[in-house]
Amino acid sequence: MILRKVYSFAVFILLLFSFQTHSEICFRTFFDKDIIFVSLDFELKYGEHITAPIGKGKFISPKCNWKNAELLETHWPKEADLLNPDGSKSEYKGYLGKFSILCKLRINDLSQPVLYDLFYVKCNENSCIPCDKSGELNLNNGLTQEEINSYTQKDSFSQNIFLILFFSFLGGVILNFMPCVFPIISIKIFSLIKSSALSKIKIRKQSLAFALGSIFTILLLGVILLTIKSSFPDISWGFFMQNSVCVFLLLIIFLFSALHFWDVYSFHLPLLGKVKYTSKNTYLTCFFSGILAAITSSSCAGPFSGIALSAALLYDNMIQSISVFLLLGFGLAFPFLLISIFPNFIKHFPKPGNWLNMFKKLMGFAMLFSCLWPVSILLSQLSHSQIIRLLATIIAMACVLWLTKHINKKYIKYSLVLILLILSFDSIKLIINKDFQDSNAIEWQEYSDEIFNNSLKNHTPIFLNFTASWCMNCQFNHRIFADKELIHEFQKSKITAIKCDLSKKNNKLTKLLKSYNTAAIPLYVFYNGKDSKFKVLPSILTKSIVMKYIKGE
């Protein structure tokens, strides 16, 4: 009897230890042919740590023996500084909380299982506990290829820093030929051709000013990105393109550049003054042109630069990351750095003439073509009504710029510029306005006979919205449905909101439209849920009109 109790207690202790070990570490694998990746995922309690394979105590870092497999690589996570009980910095380095160790293995015999025997020491403030875990690997049980890449890229980047820096420089050079950057670069070079009569010193200064503008901007963007990365580790290059305001401003830059190339307006410093090439402001203009080139190039990652930028974001060493951005900036500024060193180089270009004006106009079309890219991004970020209002604002801004060229009176020009600024701020306010951003707060359901009939049967209020993307009045009315008060009323009344989208040909919806004795949209039909009777709302809506029909007033 006593032996049975002792045996039961021993089994209980073993099961308890097994449970604790299992909750503390798990094995995840990825199997491809005879190569297997094994992730040892640790999860320690608060106050516990495991020592790293560097520094004092490295001999008790986790060690795993493999049977029927050869260890090819081990990828360790970034270690942390451990603290003594009194809070001072310890000589030990290790891991806290959740961390993973990735092992790359080659299986010797595919017909046999892979066995492991893991030994590690888990420590806290008071003691260290040796732990041992053995078993058989379960192949293909959770580790993904993306996770493998995130483990291994950091190590490979650290081992190839000079190659990464070369890629960064080469990628920066290639950025000069990207569609949104090439027009700015080429026009600036040809402006130097026009000024080839100037002294070598002035040509060098202009080229250096442009180069410094590019390098400074890329470096500044890199520092900002790395600073944000400390709080948001998953951030990536071009993250600002996720912000509609930034995309809109980039669209404005592209459009204004095109208009500038077509001589619709002339950008000078100061804004409305004329600047001669002998003026000191010329160098400032070159500097801002470099900034413009860098900003437009930062919205994309070309060949080689994508690899380098990924490395910069994965580096834990700030100096290495900054070096990548610095080399990228030097690559972007490389043509102008060459001109600053060899100013006579521009004399080998064809002499200025009518062809240069034609080329400038052609680059304007290239910049206009580049506008399609930010527009396509905005289409996925904003509602149709927002897009229409933004495009209308952009057209109005272009008209204002055109007027500034054809009006000589300064006070009128300044008034037009003020209008331009107001239009810009109004557009930005439109984008960041949460009421507009949340334009889908009313959960519109696509029309189906089942949804419609069930709502009628259950005496649920129904709001039919016959709309289409090509219908201007529909998009104008759509802003009403973003109003918070109206959204609340829809939710409070439990209205089934049904969208009847006629953007594409739909015979069923066309017949339904005709059943309400009309063939035109927009059409808004409201069923109050009490019976099968309905009311047709006016084609141009206001919030008060919709509220009136919903409340039955």
Side-chain angles (χ1 to χ4, degrees):
M1 186 70 178
I2 295 175
L3 289 175
R4 186 180 296 176
K5 289 182 178 180
V6 170
Y7 177 77
S8 300
F9 180 77
V11 171
F12 172 78
I13 294 298
L14 287 173
L15 288 173
L16 180 62
F17 179 80
S18 175
F19 173 77
Q20 289 177 339
T21 305
H22 177 74
S23 62
E24 181 179 287
I25 176 174
C26 69
F27 286 69
R28 292 183 302 137
T29 63
F30 178 90
F31 179 59
D32 183 20
K33 297 181 181 178
D34 62 338
I35 299 296
I36 182 173
F37 290 88
V38 183
S39 176
L40 284 63
D41 300 333
F42 291 82
E43 185 173 356
L44 303 179
K45 296 178 181 178
Y46 179 78
E48 296 178 340
H49 70 266
I50 291 177
T51 55
I54 62 171
K56 190 175 181 180
K58 61 183 179 181
F59 59 91
I60 58 171
S61 62
K63 293 176 178 60
C64 194
N65 294 321
W66 307 95
K67 292 183 180 180
N68 191 33
E70 175 189 358
L71 179 63
L72 300 179
E73 297 175 8
T74 302
H75 299 273
W76 296 87
K78 178 66 176 176
E79 66 282 347
D81 292 325
L82 300 179
L83 301 178
N84 293 317
D86 61 357
S88 60
K89 185 177 178 181
S90 170
E91 296 180 5
Y92 292 84
K93 293 183 180 295
Y95 310 111
L96 309 169
K98 293 183 180 180
F99 67 94
S100 299
I101 303 170
L102 184 74
C103 299
K104 181 180 180 182
L105 310 173
R106 178 182 285 114
I107 301 176
N108 297 326
D109 187 352
L110 293 175
S111 63
Q112 299 295 323
V114 176
L115 305 178
Y116 63 85
D117 184 8
L118 173 66
F119 173 80
Y120 61 98
V121 178
K122 178 180 63 176
C123 300
N124 53 38
E125 291 183 357
N126 302 316
S127 61
C128 288
I129 305 172
C131 302
D132 185 54
K133 185 177 177 67
S134 302
E136 178 183 334
L137 286 181
N138 178 18
L139 305 184
N140 292 326
N141 69 333
L143 190 63
T144 66
Q145 183 66 60
E146 290 74 15
E147 289 177 295
I148 294 171
N149 293 339
S150 68
Y151 281 116
T152 58
Q153 279 181 344
K154 186 180 295 186
D155 287 351
S156 61
F157 286 150
S158 299
Q159 296 167 3
N160 298 281
I161 178 62
F162 294 106
L163 182 62
I164 293 298
L165 291 176
F166 173 72
F167 282 167
S168 183
F169 175 78
L170 185 60
V173 174
I174 295 175
L175 283 176
N176 286 284
F177 302 97
M178 298 299 284
C180 53
V181 183
F182 179 71
I184 299 172
I185 299 291
S186 59
I187 293 301
K188 201 61 196 176
I189 289 177
F190 284 121
S191 70
L192 292 175
I193 296 174
K194 284 185 176 182
S195 60
S196 58
L198 297 175
S199 65
K200 293 181 181 180
I201 294 178
K202 290 184 178 180
I203 293 176
R204 279 181 175 144
K205 285 183 178 181
Q206 290 187 25
S207 301
L208 281 174
F210 186 96
L212 288 175
S214 300
I215 296 171
F216 167 78
T217 305
I218 292 292
L219 198 57
L220 179 62
L221 289 173
V223 170
I224 293 173
L225 181 62
L226 293 173
T227 303
I228 298 175
K229 178 177 173 286
S230 61
S231 301
F232 302 94
D234 295 330
I235 202 167
S236 61
W237 180 252
F239 69 96
F240 51 87
M241 297 302 290
Q242 299 170 351
N243 187 294
S244 302
V245 174
C246 293
V247 178
F248 173 71
L249 292 177
L250 188 65
L251 172 60
I252 293 298
I253 290 173
F254 287 174
L255 178 62
F256 282 16
S257 298
L259 297 176
H260 178 65
F261 292 157
W262 291 335
D263 295 324
V264 172
Y265 77 103
S266 296
F267 177 74
H268 295 291
L269 295 173
L271 182 62
L272 300 176
K274 294 184 178 180
V275 180
K276 298 180 179 179
Y277 278 100
T278 55
S279 172
K280 292 181 181 180
N281 282 332
T282 303
Y283 305 130
L284 192 58
T285 303
C286 292
F287 182 80
F288 277 101
S289 297
I291 292 176
L292 177 62
I295 290 174
T296 55
S297 68
S298 65
S299 57
C300 59
F304 297 105
S305 62
I307 299 174
L309 291 168
S310 298
L313 294 175
L314 286 171
Y315 281 140
D316 292 316
N317 189 312
M318 191 71 166
I319 296 177
Q320 291 179 342
S321 298
I322 291 296
S323 299
V324 171
F325 289 107
L326 185 62
L327 266 293
L328 183 69
F330 270 98
L332 181 63
F334 185 65
F336 292 89
L337 291 173
L338 279 180
I339 294 174
S340 66
I341 298 172
F342 307 104
N344 288 330
F345 179 71
I346 61 173
K347 294 182 179 179
H348 296 285
F349 281 83
K351 293 182 178 180
N354 187 52
W355 71 271
L356 187 56
N357 292 327
M358 292 296 294
F359 181 81
K360 184 178 178 182
K361 300 294 188 295
L362 182 63
M363 290 299 99
F365 281 105
M367 290 303 297
L368 191 64
F369 185 77
S370 297
C371 290
L372 294 176
W373 179 54
V375 168
S376 66
I377 297 174
L378 289 173
L379 285 172
S380 64
Q381 294 176 339
L382 304 177
S383 65
H384 284 87
S385 59
Q386 286 176 292
I387 293 293
I388 291 172
R389 288 186 61 177
L390 285 181
L391 292 178
T393 301
I394 290 172
I395 294 171
M397 292 167 74
C399 292
V400 170
L401 287 175
W402 178 81
L403 286 172
T404 59
K405 183 180 179 181
H406 293 82
I407 296 176
N408 296 323
K409 294 183 178 180
K410 281 191 175 182
Y411 71 91
I412 297 180
K413 280 191 174 184
Y414 281 111
S415 299
L416 290 173
V417 170
L418 181 61
I419 293 173
L420 186 65
L421 292 173
I422 292 173
L423 288 172
S424 301
F425 287 123
D426 184 64
S427 298
I428 293 174
K429 183 181 176 182
L430 168 67
I431 296 174
I432 64 177
N433 189 326
K434 292 184 179 180
D435 290 343
F436 278 92
Q437 288 280 7
D438 198 19
S439 58
N440 293 319
I442 293 179
E443 296 181 4
W444 295 100
Q445 302 181 62
E446 295 297 330
Y447 178 85
S448 72
D449 291 336
E450 182 180 0
I451 294 174
F452 181 75
N453 292 330
N454 285 341
S455 298
L456 279 179
K457 182 179 178 181
N458 297 325
H459 301 287
T460 303
I462 302 172
F463 192 98
L464 294 178
N465 177 7
F466 289 85
T467 184
S469 58
W470 41 262
C471 171
M472 293 290 290
N473 288 343
C474 299
Q475 302 308 319
F476 176 79
N477 288 336
H478 190 66
R479 78 196 193 285
I480 299 299
F481 301 114
D483 183 85
K484 290 182 179 179
E485 186 180 352
L486 189 60
I487 293 171
H488 176 71
E489 190 62 36
F490 264 72
Q491 295 172 346
K492 177 184 176 183
S493 303
K494 297 181 179 180
I495 297 174
T496 301
I498 301 178
K499 180 186 289 186
C500 305
D501 195 348
L502 290 162
S503 297
K504 296 180 181 179
K505 185 178 179 180
N506 189 315
N507 292 331
K508 178 187 287 188
L509 292 181
T510 301
K511 290 180 181 179
L512 181 63
L513 180 69
K514 289 181 179 179
S515 68
Y516 294 104
N517 297 318
T518 183
I521 59 173
L523 175 69
Y524 306 99
V525 182
F526 180 67
Y527 291 80
N528 60 18
K530 298 177 182 178
D531 48 45
S532 59
K533 294 181 180 180
F534 61 86
K535 293 183 179 180
V536 176
L537 281 68
S539 57
I540 301 299
L541 297 179
T542 63
K543 183 178 74 172
S544 59
I545 290 175
V546 179
M547 295 288 281
K548 178 182 177 182
Y549 276 84
I550 291 176
K551 293 180 179 180
E553 297 176 356

